[in-house]
Amino acid sequence: MRLALLFTVIFLVLACAAFFANRVLVQSSMFDESFRYQTETARRQAVEIQQMLLGARALAVSFAGISRERDALQPVLGSIAQQAEADWILAAGIWPLPIRDDVNQARQSAYWIRRNGAFERLDDYNNTRSVPYWHEKWFTPARYAKPGHCYWTPAYRDPLLQREIVTCATPIQRDGQFAGVATVSLDRARIAAGLGSRTQNDSGYGILLDRDNQLLGATEALLASSGNVLPASAADVAKRFPKLAPLALTLHQWNESFLRAVVTSSDYEPSLISALRDGTREMARDEAESALISLWAEPPQSAQVPEFMHLKDDPVLHQPATAVFLELPETHWRLVRVVGSREGFAGARYVVNQSLAVSLAAVALCLLLVFAGLRRFVLDRLSRMASLLDDSVRSGTPGDVLIDDSGRDEIGMLAHWSNERLSQLHDLHEQLSISRNALQAETEARRSAQKQRQESETRLAQVLGAVEDALVVTDVYGCIEDMNLHAQELISIDPHVALGQAFDEVFKFTASEQGEPLGNPAKRTIDSNSDIVCNEPVFLDVRGTAKPFRLNTTALCSRDGVVNGAAVAFRSADGANTGPATHPEPSGDDASRGACDRVLRRLQEQSRLLQRSHSFLYIDIDNLNAINGNAGIDAGSEALAHVWHVLTGQLEHADMAFRLGADQFAVVLENRGVDAAATVAETLRDAVSHAPLRWERRDIRLSVSVGVTPFDGKGSPFQIIKRGEDACHAAKAAGRNCVRIFESFMERGDNSGDDAQWLKRIRHGLDRDMFHLTTQWIQPYSGAAAGRDAFEFLVALEDEEGFWTAASQFLPVAERNNLGREIDQWVIKHAFAMLAQRLPKMPKLEFCSINLSPASLDAPETLDQIIQLLQTYPELSPKRLMFEIREEAVADHPIAAARFCETLRGLGCRIALDQFVGRRGNDLALIRTLPLDYVKLSARQFRKISEDQVERMVAESVLRLARTLDLRTIITGIEDAASLPTWSTLGADYCQGNVIAKATPVVFASPSV
């Protein structure tokens, strides 16, 4: 199969090489020769016809020059009649312009026609009863011809000759004034016959057309195909032969292009067209326009380079053909010569392609024969050898196979060497079997030893967890190898970081509260190979407080008595636990969460060892957001501290409380079952509900929802906290201010009863495109922004009855259920389209901001969509776009947020940090690490800024911080008009709120509009 594929590839490569050589080396030269032949043939025919036309023009110009000496014309015409090659001239005439336009005046025209080989003068046009000749179509256009030039008429039937003629009419000038016309008329039938005689030896055919694509002549081949009736025009040819429609269309397009070029030139004068139409008998406007255009157009000075057109199936030649087009000077006539594929450059292509096809067929046959020989004499024998080897491998006895090596060729030699190698392989196989058995025995021994070691390490970990003292194990150099949870709770660094460090670098014991360090007791024990017992208390700094401990150090020895480490045990000298305070103060970082995890992990280890059961309480303050919104963030912070003190005041000494989040707390109840935990939870709930917060001379009633879950040695701390949180959510769903014990049905997939309804509406809105964009105008205040417009895009959801719901009601649900990024993509897509459509009407637009959910920061699809839309709408400048990200999202995803912001800034977009507080310790570090342009402060933090001097000073410090970092500020959520002057005085760049302008479906509407 592979060999066949190889031969196929070789054939294709040879075919491509032959095709390239054919095109470059053979066809190009043959085509050049054929092209020159066809060009010269067409040009020769054009020159012959042109000589005839130039002769007629020269004769007409001569007649015009001697028009007053009419007797001198007769000898000239007699001489012409005796010339056989001039038999195409049928008539000549002198047509003086009358003095006045009166049919009854005497006429002085002279008209000679050819009869019986001689020219005879007729005076029929001088009869006053006949139509005046100076109103004929062949007379009036000559008035506008240049001296020495002809106006060539379309073919028409002469009433005296009773034959189809084409006339050259040249003006007679006397004293620079038009005085009449001299004409020479040619026989149309003779022109057609001459065209046929010139191409009688060719297998193709020719067509001669005038400037309006009317046929003047055609060769015998076309006439025979059309029933010996000459088609009237190119359109008639296409009608009779539909396959020639492309040819007729090309002629029509060239004619249209010719007319457009003259019409758009400075020579084109519509008034002359109207004058010619009015002064000519039975002449339409399009005829008058065509006649004058032929005179206005500058004729080429020589025959033009032919153009070509390929016909797939010529109906006259019944084969593919090539048409050669050539325009004749002087007359704007066109000569079309059609040659079959067996002639000209088409024939050259046919011959070369046929030769190439035969050559490739011969190469393919040779390759096929070579492949068959290889298959017969090489591949089949090798295949039999491979089959024998495969059978031997499958049977497991590769050395027992003997390949036929009787051949005296290369295949026989290969079989001989294969037999030798198979014999060696058989020997190696036996040796390998012996080695494999020995290795299996050694592996089993090592696996058993490793299992015993793992069991020992597990028992050691269980012992370390069960010991109530803080216990640290070091290596022979006094560096920490392991420690139990009691010891981990006494250090201020990550336990994983502490591993490998010297004991005295992590646990810095001193002889007294302010004494000198004791050094490394583990290293002293190892060096002296003796235990150290400190009867007097030593002191250790635990989170800023020196606490007394009793310390014992024991050397650890191997089985042969060599010291290889030490164990350091210490417990509190005052009888208290070695861990941190039972009820730590709440903090803004996640230290309390980490301590809670460590306590849960320690109790789980005890449960696995001693089969004990414990309980976990998850406590959430109800309606804290409402307190922040109504009374301010300071009131919310005070409510957190108040609830903490109420909770810790109700707990026993052994109970442990922790701060988990902004308004969530946890209580771990050691050795308490679920019933006892439910009683404690109810006590805590009741205590909070009966202890209102006193704030600004009024009481704020508080309540908490509590979730209770038991736990043992199964699961992880995360799963325990998750079950407690689910139970707490069930308590909130039941009306808040109550206690719920976890059951399996409470486990949430990030859903609740209300969320399910909202999720259905959100999904319905995304599928049915029922979201709508609104914009809210942002008022500029600073000098740089004055006079410019700024807007923020907001999204609303339409329900089944047509009512719009604000984003604040459904976006939290969408973000909890991972739909925030999908809504962001809808907003970005429609915002870009709307901006691109209306941007030309907003010359003063500074920026439009788009809010992004936290999920979009870590989604490459969002960046890809923004980049694609910027490419789709190149007229939309990136600096007009501002993307808002929330401070809490940046804090949760700092790396993703930094990458997201840097990418957008690289595109030229602006970045704003939303919900900025500016009064926490990590705010400065946060805004300095991001490439920001704006920060948005909520006015709800400063509800009394107009009357409270302290709030005004705090707000001014935040604005000053932003200006120092070269950031512009936007104050959002302003509901009090009285605070606007204050914010403006403090230096806010922009202000936003319903009191300034409400969000409106009339997109980009400002109060000034």
Side-chain angles (χ1 to χ4, degrees), residues 87-229:
D87 59 350
W88 38 270
I89 299 178
L90 286 183
I94 300 296
W95 312 91
L97 182 68
I99 299 175
R100 62 182 184 278
D101 190 4
D102 185 357
V103 298
N104 295 318
Q105 67 176 319
R107 305 178 186 180
Q108 299 178 1
S109 65
Y111 186 46
W112 292 270
I113 65 173
R114 183 190 291 268
R115 285 183 180 176
N116 300 322
F119 283 95
E120 177 183 349
R121 177 174 174 173
L122 300 178
D123 292 323
D124 296 45
Y125 283 97
N126 291 330
N127 190 344
T128 58
R129 290 177 295 178
S130 64
V131 177
Y133 59 78
W134 56 86
H135 290 300
E136 293 296 331
K137 294 181 179 179
W138 48 265
F139 182 94
T140 52
R143 177 189 296 269
Y144 304 98
K146 298 178 181 179
H149 290 75
C150 275
Y151 163 66
W152 287 95
T153 67
Y156 67 96
R157 188 173 184 82
D158 186 271
L160 298 180
L161 289 171
Q162 293 298 312
R163 297 178 71 174
E164 293 284 333
I165 63 173
V166 178
T167 299
C168 168
T170 186
I172 299 174
Q173 298 284 335
R174 291 178 184 170
D175 298 329
Q177 300 293 325
F178 176 74
V181 175
T183 62
V184 174
S185 300
L186 309 182
D187 186 1
R188 176 183 178 182
R190 186 66 185 84
I191 295 174
L195 178 66
S197 65
R198 295 181 181 90
T199 58
Q200 61 183 356
N201 295 326
D202 297 337
S203 62
Y205 60 92
I207 305 173
L208 183 63
L209 304 100
D210 66 6
R211 64 178 178 273
D212 294 325
N213 288 334
Q214 303 297 314
L215 263 68
L216 297 174
T219 58
E220 189 63 31
L222 180 64
L223 292 175
S225 299
S226 59
N228 290 322
V229 177

Side-chain angles (χ1 to χ4, degrees), residues 468-479:
E468 294 185 358
D469 293 349
L471 182 62
V472 180
V473 178
T474 70
D475 59 11
V476 69
Y477 303 104
C479 297

